[in-house]
Amino acid sequence: MTEISADPIRVTHNWGSNEARRRVKARYTADRRLQFYGIAAIGTAMALLAVLFTSLIHAGIAAFTTTKVELDIFLDPAQIDREKPAKANYRKLVRGAFKSYFPDVKSRSQERQLYGIMSNGADYILRDYVVGNTDKIGQTVKILVPVSDPFDQLYKRIIPRRIDALSIDRIALFNALRQQGVLSVVDGSGVVRTTVYVDPGKVPSEGGLEAADYDAMVKEGLRSLFLKEYSRSYEEIVSDAAAGKLKALVAADPSLVGKTIDVDLPLAANYDNLLQTGQATMRNPRFSSDDEFVWFDSLEARGLIANPFSWELFFNADSRFPELAGLMGALSGSFLALLVCFLLSFPIGIATAVYLEEFAPKNRITDIIEVNINNLAAVPSVVFGLLGLALFLNTFGMPRSAPLVGGMVLALMTLPTIIVATRAALKAVPPSIREAALGVGASKQQVTMHHVLPLAMPGILTGTIIGLAQALGETAPLLLIGMNAFIPSIENIGLTQPAMALPTQIFSWADSPERGFVSRTSAAILVLLGFLIVMNLIAVYLRSKLERKW
Amino acid sequence: MQQLPIGATKMLSTVKPLLAETAAETKITARGVSVFYGEKQALFDVDVDIPKNSVMAFIGPSGCGKSTFLRCINRMNDTIPIARTEGTITIDGRDIDDPELDVVELRARVGMVFQKPNPFPKSIYENVAYGPRIHGLANSKSELDGIVENSLRRAGLMKEVHDRMNEPGTGLSGGQQQRLCIARAIATSPDVMLMDEPCSALDPIATARVEELIDELRESLTIIIVTHSMQQAARVSQRTAFFHLGKLVEESETTTMFRNPSDQRTQDYITGRFG
Amino acid sequence: MLSYLLLALLVLTIAAYYAGLAKARAFAAATGHHKSHHSLAGYHGAFVAAWAGIPSFLLVVLWLLFQGPVVDQLLIVSLPVERLQDLDAGQLNLLVSEIKSVAKGNIFGTPDEVVLAAAERYNSWNGIASWAMVASALSLTVVALFVARSMLAPRFRARNHVESITTVLMITCSLIAILTTVGIVTSLLYETMRFFSMVSPLEFFFGLNWEPQIAMRSDQVTAGGAFGAIPVYVGTLLIAVIAMLVATPIGLYSAIYLTEYASDGLRAVVKPLLEILAGIPTVVYGFFAVLTVAPAMREFGELLGFSIAPNSALAAGGVMGIMLIPFISSLSDDALNAVPQSLRDGSYGLGATKGETITRVLLPAALPGIMGGILLAVSRAIGETMIVVMAAGIIAALTLNPFEPVTTVTVQIVTLLIGDTEFDNPKTLAAFALGLVLFIATLVLNVIALTIVRRYREQYD
């Protein structure tokens, strides 16, 4: 240090030089670059949020209406017993009414396809209608029943009638084959003539011809057809039956092993379609014949198809059929679980927070409790599910899938949120209020009950609502205690009855293969988000309107 | 602890005989009162006698322990977890630490008014009614109304608020708020009133109003007022105690204290050399 | 019956309140002056009500919790010895459930004599237990009511007693937090110990093969299934790393821009929007991954000529990253805001640009806080369940390729336990061992993170 001060070098800097100006400019560029990164980051986050919401709304909006067909049904007193209206054969009535629209449909298989347009639940809808309106027996009534899922999706333009069977490079692949002249139609189905080496190396010593890898032989043969590598998509050109055909040939003539043979392998359906019709599209496999489109179009032309608001989405129980599945079971289950959660976590959370904040002596035990609460807030939710499963279900033998147990687990998870919020709200009450009350001779508990808690209540309620909103969206712990039971009726609703919750309903619908469940799931999510938004708005309102600023 | 006659009070650094000019009855007696906040001692061995139906002022530089001692008298220090009190304080000869005496009863009998007006965020009526209600002082609504009105009248606030009893107490002006707090304290019919710099947040006119009130209340109450204003102490009190660095330096008739202090530190303080 | 009992207890408690109130009013009237008694009449009422209501309510709760297990034990003890021989724990459980279902009246086939007799005993014991509960709860209430009422006197300190009871209640509530932790730790430890009695810990911690789903017959409890959890841990870490790679830059740069550059108007818009992102339930993110992100990635991959699995680690991790953006951004926000203004002023005073101040002064100063936030986010990422359950794989493949499906600890816990409640095979118990690992890992991460953040805050306080 002394050396430096002993040798004072004056650094002069010419701020006006070009060099210096350039440097300043570069520094500003760096600044702008950082700003740009910031804007890009925020832009990305906002864009992702937008994509999330648009894709959910786009997919979910369709589920808020249900495509229905109008039926004229004569409620034949000969078939419906007025005393026991629930017992009649409504399937027959519904089908009869539907069939009357298409008098020229005769064959059994065609009839089956025709009835497939209607939802499976049509008979129950009629039954429920008749049970509720026994005075209508003997009259002809107009009743709307939902169409089955594929037609619902078709009417809403979610799925097309025809789908692209082949992508552009697959069509190129097909054209390459056609130029080689190996494609032909034999007995009404398209085949590709392929040279196959029946490789003895692929015939295992154990199992023999039966266990040979014909699939690999077919693939080898197909590869030889192509000079150019078309990734591996050339393997899809033959149908699944190709290996079987080869196997049958070899089984019929075991001497073929070790030889190279030409064999006509059956084309896959989409290539077959392209070869025979010249079209690169095919009928959507969700529909079983083109007749169905004709019938459906005719219903539409006659004005019998309607697309009203789907009350079913809110008031039906769960169902395996997407057009009938509703959220009533999930909503009631979530409501009950949240009720239990609130009744437990609200008083316990407030009592804990009040004790720690207002009464507890500062010692090791209260320190441990505090650390504990902070750590509980960070325990993964699935661990709470494990606790519920091991303790509530296994040790205490409480009922599985019940909102009571779900609510208890959620209460344990919500407790830290409520405790933290309550303590913050209690801290915000100025000490002068406490002193004033103590000064007139109120006991500590009277101070808390009469003054501090009422003043902290808006903050506590805000925290509680936020905690309950989190609990409403919580899924994993409910899965573990079985609150994803399939409950196709809403007759048995109770704290100890098996139930579903809104998020677990979303989970199980998301897992279902039917196309209609995609929009059902999105719609359920929109309902869930709607509830969350309302709860958060209430919390924001409470915070802004009722919370005092001291 | 045996009660010592006024004038024989043991002083800390200097022993100075005090002549009792008025042979008033003693209301509060403190002997050997020390207060610790954790490790730190805030008040050292205070002995003092406070006569009945008079105003005693505690003066001294900030942090000198005058408020700490005041808060001992209604055991408000109990509410601070790290605070620890030693020594004895008696009111009318009764030890305030007597386990038979409930602290809430003590605080009802020893009213307190704070530095900053702190009305409850409730109506004016509810502010005053709160004390009588929790102590069960009224058997009926009309009795309670009577207590509230009487307290507000004694606090000189009745005329200003009689037509807006249900409006929030926080809506009043600062001076009115402080008088509301006094009314609230009076409502439990205490016989001692502790005032911790009650005028420090008020303007001069409001201060004059409160000082008048203190003088009126003296007829029925023993009042102890902590103040940083020596003028105020001179105006309202009969006796004054000077605290310095946690010790009671001197206690005497107010006129004596200001004209002829016996301790050099008191002299320095009242002449403005420090504080 | 339970609801009637609770209703009766409630009615008796209210009655007790009025009994106390009436007695207190009576002696208040007798002595005339109100100051002569200690507490308000209401406290006398509350005192009697608390003693009448609380002990019997606790009795009912405890009774309900333990009646089931106790009756089960009695049932097992009462079964003939020859029937219990050669039964392992699983078969015994089965027998007990059979007896219970017969007792409920769900009789399938023709149960044997022993089962029928046991079912009858079971029903009668449960009946006896229920009536005993009603009788003891009601008599306890009535006795407590009269004893408590007889204690009332003008100078009786009812308020102090009621406040002590309230304090005890509050302490009890505070202990629930501790009990929850104790419950988590003991249940995880207990089931993990049982798991390790069937599967060696060495295999579990270091094995490379995870195939717990193999169907097991009763005679090969440990023969089938492989429980080497390394692939599961690797998958968990892979997805967490991907999530952090998405969340950290976006979250951190957003925080920098919002705290240092953005106008108040922009902040007022962006912050609530980020909060929305934070408030979306994870099941929604999971569905978003399946519905939108995974197909988009697949198509993008096809465009570039390589295949991305529909349940690739990239899709699951990426969506988890989106979920963590608001988390990182708000914690970094806090850390940056905690840097004192004086440091900024010092830097600006030297003529530094905003960007230089941020990168050279603010970020280094806020680094511990930001690191703490990132660690908390990692802990969230490895504990996150629904996104991976819906969007990641189930098969445990030991790979670091983000385009391949991998599985995670939480996925395994959920898939192992869905629809299975028999706690007698390593498959279900493995879930608890994984749960214990997860609990410890997140706990350690949180403790470290919170310590860093606290030290950092203290530095500037």
Side-chain angles (χ1 to χ4, degrees):
Chain A
M1 282 297 162
T2 48
E3 288 157 49
I4 293 172
S5 57
D7 182 21
I9 298 169
R10 281 185 80 104
V11 178
T12 52
H13 184 82
N14 183 0
W15 286 100
S17 74
N18 281 339
E19 168 71 15
R21 277 206 200 114
R22 211 164 29 244
R23 200 176 305 133
V24 169
K25 215 176 147 195
R27 288 169 56 200
Y28 274 116
T29 314
D31 185 51
R32 271 195 297 277
R33 194 159 53 230
L34 186 65
Q35 271 199 58
F36 170 75
Y37 290 152
I39 291 173
I42 292 175
T44 315
M46 296 300 110
L48 287 169
L49 183 66
V51 170
L52 175 71
F53 272 89
T54 37
S55 65
L56 287 175
I57 291 170
H58 177 74
I61 200 92
F64 287 94
T65 58
T66 306
T67 311
K68 292 185 175 177
V69 56
E70 190 184 299
L71 295 181
D72 274 321
I73 302 177
F74 174 56
L75 300 177
D76 187 355
Q79 294 196 41
I80 305 169
D81 184 353
R82 274 176 207 274
E83 300 305 312
K84 290 180 190 162
K87 290 278 179 204
N89 187 350
Y90 289 104
R91 170 160 295 196
K92 195 172 155 198
L93 281 172
V94 171
R95 290 190 166 177
F98 195 57
K99 176 80 194 322
S100 68
Y101 290 140
F102 303 100
D104 43 339
V105 171
K106 290 281 186 285
S107 79
R108 275 310 260 296
S109 72
Q110 270 199 317
E111 271 182 1
R112 204 164 42 241
Q113 285 175 14
L114 180 66
Y115 298 144
I117 295 178
M118 269 193 311
S119 165
N120 265 326
D123 9 337
Y124 303 111
I125 290 165
L126 180 64
R127 181 194 65 193
D128 292 346
Y129 175 82
V130 175
V131 170
N133 303 279
T134 40
D135 54 314
K136 292 275 167 64
I137 294 172
Q139 302 176 19
T140 300
V141 294
K142 277 191 196 313
I143 183 168
L144 282 172
V145 301
V147 299
S148 67
D149 182 48
F151 291 93
D152 182 46
Q153 303 289 308
L154 180 71
Y155 186 79
K156 291 169 178 167
R157 314 243 179 284
I158 296 169
I159 58 174
R161 294 174 185 220
R162 307 194 68 80
I163 56 172
D164 283 340
L166 294 161
S167 61
I168 301 220
D169 39 328
R170 286 184 173 79
I171 291 173
L173 189 131
F174 176 82
N175 287 334
L177 285 180
R178 184 135 64 181
Q179 276 170 15
Q180 290 182 45
V182 294
L183 299 177
S184 58
V185 178
V186 178
D187 299 337
S189 57
V191 294
V192 53
R193 172 147 299 204
T194 316
T195 311
V196 178
Y197 171 53
V198 186
D199 186 355
K202 291 197 168 64
V203 182
S205 51
E206 237 177 277
L209 294 177
E210 195 56 34
D213 193 352
Y214 297 105
D215 201 37
M217 295 179 208
V218 166
K219 282 174 184 166
E220 293 267 320
L222 287 171
R223 191 185 303 164
S224 67
L225 285 173
F226 297 94
L227 301 174
K228 205 171 106 199
E229 187 82 25
Y230 284 90
S231 69
R232 298 181 76 79
S233 48
Y234 62 82
E235 289 174 1
E236 316 163 346
I237 203 158
V238 294
S239 77
D240 295 341
K245 184 167 183 186
L246 181 62
K247 183 178 176 181
L249 277 176
V250 177
D253 183 6
S255 69
L256 291 176
V257 176
K259 289 182 184 154
T260 301
I261 55 169
D262 277 351
V263 40
D264 283 340
L265 296 174
L267 284 174
N270 39 8
Y271 288 97
D272 182 41
N273 185 51
L274 183 57
L275 180 67
Q276 298 205 37
T277 64
Q279 284 179 337
T281 60
M282 59 189 277
R283 190 181 59 243
N284 192 330
R286 288 174 196 276
F287 302 97
S288 38
S289 76
D290 286 331
D291 293 342
E292 293 183 348
F293 297 135
V294 176
W295 296 327
F296 191 71
D297 288 344
S298 118
L299 286 173
E300 211 180 328
R302 284 186 258 177
L304 294 169
I305 302 289
N307 193 24
F309 184 77
S310 176
W311 295 107
E312 291 90 342
L313 177 66
F314 296 94
F315 295 109
N316 273 16
D318 197 6
S319 166
R320 296 279 183 231
F321 304 104
E323 72 275 12
L324 299 173
L327 288 170
M328 200 53 188
L331 289 174
S332 60
S334 268
F335 174 76
L336 289 176
L338 273 196
L339 186 70
V340 171
C341 170
F342 172 77
L343 290 179
L344 288 175
S345 61
F346 189 67
I348 294 177
I350 291 182
T352 306
V354 165
Y355 178 71
L356 291 177
E357 196 61 39
E358 305 280 328
F359 296 98
K362 292 276 164 278
N363 59 25
R364 276 191 74 95
I365 295 173
T366 45
D367 273 358
I368 291 174
I369 296 179
E370 289 215 47
V371 171
N372 221 299
I373 290 165
N374 289 337
N375 280 329
L376 269 188
V379 170
S381 59
V382 70
V383 173
F384 282 95
L386 289 175
L387 171 74
L389 183 58
L391 194 69
F392 296 150
L393 295 193
N394 212 35
T395 308
F396 293 141
M398 290 178 164
R400 204 174 145 72
S401 308
L404 177 69
V405 183
M408 287 169 71
V409 173
L410 292 179
L412 293 181
M413 301 183 56
T414 314
L415 261 182
T417 314
I418 294 184
I419 293 173
V420 170
T422 305
R423 294 190 69 175
L426 292 174
K427 273 202 185 94
V429 176
S432 68
I433 297 290
R434 294 185 180 82
E435 292 205 314
L438 284 171
V440 293
S443 73
K444 242 185 142 182
Q445 286 197 8
Q446 287 173 327
V447 174
T448 308
M449 296 296 168
H450 298 164
H451 299 284
V452 180
L453 260 189
L455 291 175
M457 206 34 93
I460 297 173
L461 287 177
T462 307
T464 306
I465 293 170
I466 289 172
L468 288 180
Q470 281 169 4
L472 177 61
E474 208 48 77
T475 320
L478 299 186
L479 285 183
L480 290 197
I481 59 150
M483 263 188 88
N484 56 338
F486 175 68
I487 320 272
S489 98
I490 40 177
E491 275 148 28
N492 285 321
I493 290 174
L495 283 177
T496 53
Q497 299 296 327
M500 196 81 169
L502 202 43
T504 50
Q505 181 78 75
I506 290 168
F507 175 69
S508 80
W509 279 357
D511 236 15
S512 305
E514 287 84 359
R515 190 66 182 76
F517 275 121
V518 173
S519 49
R520 274 287 195 266
T521 310
S522 308
I525 286 177
L526 292 177
V527 171
L528 173 65
L529 291 180
F531 276 111
L532 292 182
I533 289 171
V534 168
M535 290 171 88
N536 279 294
L537 285 181
I538 293 173
V540 169
Y541 175 81
L542 277 178
R543 188 155 34 187
S544 65
K545 288 286 161 191
L546 294 177
E547 216 163 42
R548 297 181 72 96
K549 293 276 175 288
W550 299 98
Chain B
M1 178 168 288
Q2 199 201 335
Q3 203 158 317
L4 296 171
I6 301 171
T9 308
K10 192 187 87 196
M11 281 310 184
L12 282 156
S13 45
T14 59
V15 178
K16 182 183 115 3
L18 271 174
L19 289 172
E21 285 164 30
T22 49
E25 196 187 329
T26 303
K27 180 77 181 173
I28 302 168
T29 311
R31 289 294 174 268
V33 176
S34 298
V35 176
F36 301 84
Y37 290 121
E39 292 296 302
K40 195 175 156 284
Q41 189 166 2
L43 201 62
F44 294 85
D45 205 20
V46 171
D47 290 3
V48 70
D49 291 309
I50 297 164
K52 197 172 176 178
N53 289 8
S54 70
V55 178
M56 175 174 271
F58 290 176
I59 59 169
S62 32
C64 66
K66 53 189 191 298
S67 289
T68 305
F69 181 58
L70 188 78
R71 293 168 64 97
C72 288
I73 298 171
N74 66 347
R75 288 176 57 190
M76 279 297 269
N77 280 335
D78 291 11
T79 60
I80 303 166
I82 54 163
R84 185 163 55 82
T85 310
E86 284 174 5
T88 321
I89 297 175
T90 60
I91 298 178
D92 292 335
R94 186 159 188 211
D95 189 342
I96 62 165
D97 284 313
D98 182 353
E100 284 295 305
L101 177 69
D102 204 322
V103 67
V104 307
E105 219 174 304
L106 171 72
R107 289 186 191 141
R109 287 184 49 201
V110 181
M112 189 161 193
V113 176
F114 299 85
Q115 199 164 353
K116 231 180 111 211
N118 56 355
F120 301 128
K122 296 181 176 182
S123 70
I124 293 169
Y125 181 91
E126 284 302 320
N127 260 284
V128 182
Y130 179 68
R133 208 173 256 156
I134 58 169
H135 295 297
L137 300 183
N139 288 325
S140 65
K141 170 84 174 119
S142 60
E143 222 175 303
L144 190 62
D145 288 351
I147 295 176
V148 170
E149 268 176 44
N150 190 34
S151 308
L152 285 169
R153 193 162 289 128
R154 284 178 71 193
L157 196 61
M158 194 56 195
K159 274 189 196 133
E160 292 154 68
V161 300
H162 66 93
D163 53 347
R164 44 174 173 157
M165 297 283 266
N166 292 318
E167 282 171 35
T170 41
L172 296 172
S173 74
Q176 288 173 325
Q177 284 191 15
Q178 195 62 302
R179 279 182 283 142
L180 176 62
C181 292
I182 294 173
R184 182 176 67 189
I186 296 172
T188 57
S189 51
D191 35 32
V192 177
M193 176 85 78
L194 309 177
M195 296 181 154
D196 191 353
E197 304 193 18
C199 303
S200 62
L202 305 184
D203 60 60
I205 294 171
T207 301
R209 195 75 191 75
V210 171
E211 285 177 4
E212 264 171 47
L213 178 58
I214 291 172
D215 206 48
E216 286 162 21
L217 290 173
R218 176 164 68 94
E219 283 173 23
S220 52
L221 287 171
T222 304
I223 296 173
I224 306 170
I225 178 170
V226 164
T227 174
H228 57 255
S229 150
M230 279 167 289
Q231 289 81 353
Q232 186 172 55
R235 282 196 299 268
V236 299
S237 71
Q238 281 73 53
R239 297 188 73 83
T240 299
F242 172 63
F243 286 77
H244 180 53
L245 295 177
K247 289 174 180 143
L248 175 60
V249 175
E250 181 171 352
E251 189 265 359
S252 66
E253 293 242 342
T254 304
T255 43
T256 318
M257 169 85 79
F258 284 103
R259 274 187 216 137
N260 187 15
S262 54
D263 192 285
Q264 185 57 42
R265 287 168 292 178
T266 320
Q267 174 82 37
D268 289 347
Y269 182 68
I270 58 179
T271 53
R273 300 236 175 101
F274 69 88
Chain C
M1 185 155 80
L2 180 64
S3 41
Y4 288 118
L5 174 60
L6 291 177
L7 196 69
L9 287 183
L10 187 68
V11 169
L12 276 174
T13 308
I14 294 170
Y17 176 80
Y18 283 104
L21 194 73
K23 188 168 175 190
R25 288 217 173 116
F27 56 61
T31 51
H33 192 248
H34 38 252
K35 275 309 273 181
S36 63
H37 59 276
H38 178 272
S39 303
L40 295 178
Y43 281 108
H44 287 89
F47 173 76
V48 181
W51 276 109
I54 297 171
S56 48
F57 178 73
L58 283 182
L59 178 79
V60 171
V61 169
L62 289 179
W63 197 297
L64 288 175
L65 283 182
F66 290 105
Q67 177 180 331
V70 168
V71 172
D72 281 3
Q73 273 311 310
L74 282 177
L75 185 68
I76 291 169
V77 170
S78 77
L79 289 173
V81 182
E82 61 273 16
R83 192 55 199 267
L84 291 177
Q85 282 165 355
D86 349 298
L87 281 188
D88 64 20
Q91 287 161 319
L92 183 63
N93 261 340
L94 222 72
L95 182 62
V96 170
S97 351
E98 187 189 350
I99 293 171
K100 281 186 192 171
S101 97
V102 170
K104 266 188 204 153
N106 304 327
I107 301 170
F108 303 103
T110 44
D112 62 28
E113 283 301 306
V114 176
V115 171
L116 278 176
E120 211 162 282
R121 275 199 303 279
Y122 181 78
N123 274 342
S124 77
W125 282 338
N126 266 331
I128 291 169
S130 300
W131 281 112
M133 174 175 78
V134 171
S136 50
L138 289 181
S139 47
L140 181 64
T141 310
V142 173
V143 169
L145 193 162
F146 281 104
V147 171
R149 188 172 173 276
S150 72
M151 289 166 73
L152 302 185
R155 291 303 299 168
F156 178 69
R157 302 185 156 199
R159 182 176 55 70
N160 304 42
H161 280 97
V162 171
E163 291 189 348
S164 315
I165 294 170
T166 321
T167 307
V168 169
L169 285 181
M170 286 195 294
I171 293 175
T172 315
C173 288
S174 315
L175 289 179
I176 285 180
I178 297 229
L179 286 180
T180 308
T181 312
V182 171
I184 288 174
V185 172
T186 45
S187 58
L188 290 183
L189 268 181
Y190 176 72
E191 307 293 353
T192 306
M193 285 304 137
R194 285 177 60 197
F195 173 68
F196 283 148
S197 72
M198 301 175 189
V199 174
S200 127
L202 223 59
E203 183 192 349
F204 179 71
F205 287 113
F206 301 108
L208 297 179
N209 196 10
W210 178 266
E211 280 166 16
Q213 292 285 10
I214 287 174
M216 274 165 289
R217 296 193 302 277
S218 55
D219 58 329
Q220 48 152 172
V221 169
T222 50
F227 292 94
I230 289 280
V232 182
Y233 303 144
V234 171
T236 308
L237 290 181
L238 178 65
I239 287 184
V241 166
I242 294 169
M244 295 313 294
L245 287 179
V246 172
T248 310
I250 298 181
L252 187 55
Y253 277 116
S254 304
I256 289 174
Y257 190 82
L258 285 178
T259 46
E260 303 298 325
Y261 289 108
S263 63
D264 287 346
L266 184 70
R267 240 196 309 270
V269 175
V270 172
K271 280 206 162 177
L273 285 176
L274 282 175
E275 272 175 40
I276 290 184
L277 216 48
I280 293 175
T282 53
V283 68
V284 178
Y285 280 111
F287 185 64
F288 176 59
V290 177
L291 176 75
T292 310
V293 178
M297 280 185 178
R298 202 175 143 82
E299 273 175 33
F300 186 70
E302 257 176 32
L303 222 69
L304 297 182
F306 59 95
S307 75
I308 299 179
N311 48 359
S312 67
L314 194 61
V319 172
M320 194 188 280
I322 301 176
M323 180 200 85
L324 292 174
I325 290 172
F327 198 70
I328 301 247
S329 112
S330 79
L331 287 167
S332 308
D333 214 346
D334 292 349
L336 287 169
N337 276 326
V339 177
Q341 186 62 29
S342 59
L343 282 184
R344 270 166 247 235
D345 292 346
S347 175
Y348 290 139
L350 288 172
T353 64
K354 227 171 193 181
E356 286 159 349
T357 307
I358 292 165
T359 48
R360 307 277 174 86
V361 179
L362 294 185
L363 281 182
L367 193 63
I370 293 171
M371 283 310 297
I374 288 176
L375 282 184
L376 284 179
V378 172
S379 149
R380 284 270 293 249
I382 63 175
E384 168 45 43
T385 309
M386 289 323 291
I387 294 178
V388 280
V389 165
M390 295 172 84
I394 289 176
I395 310 299
L398 188 56
T399 174
L400 289 177
N401 182 350
F403 305 123
E404 294 288 315
V406 294
T407 192
T408 73
V409 172
T410 48
V411 173
Q412 289 306 314
I413 293 175
V414 171
T415 43
L416 291 177
L417 286 177
I418 278 193
D420 211 334
T421 45
E422 296 305 324
F423 281 21
D424 52 3
N425 61 55
K427 187 193 122 184
T428 41
L429 293 177
F432 285 89
L434 288 176
L436 186 65
V437 171
L438 178 67
F439 177 72
I440 293 173
T442 50
L443 188 69
V444 168
L445 276 172
N446 275 302
V447 170
I448 296 174
L450 289 178
T451 314
I452 294 177
V453 171
R454 196 171 45 239
R455 287 230 181 106
Y456 165 71
R457 293 232 176 93
E458 279 164 5
Q459 189 190 335
Y460 290 120
D461 267 348

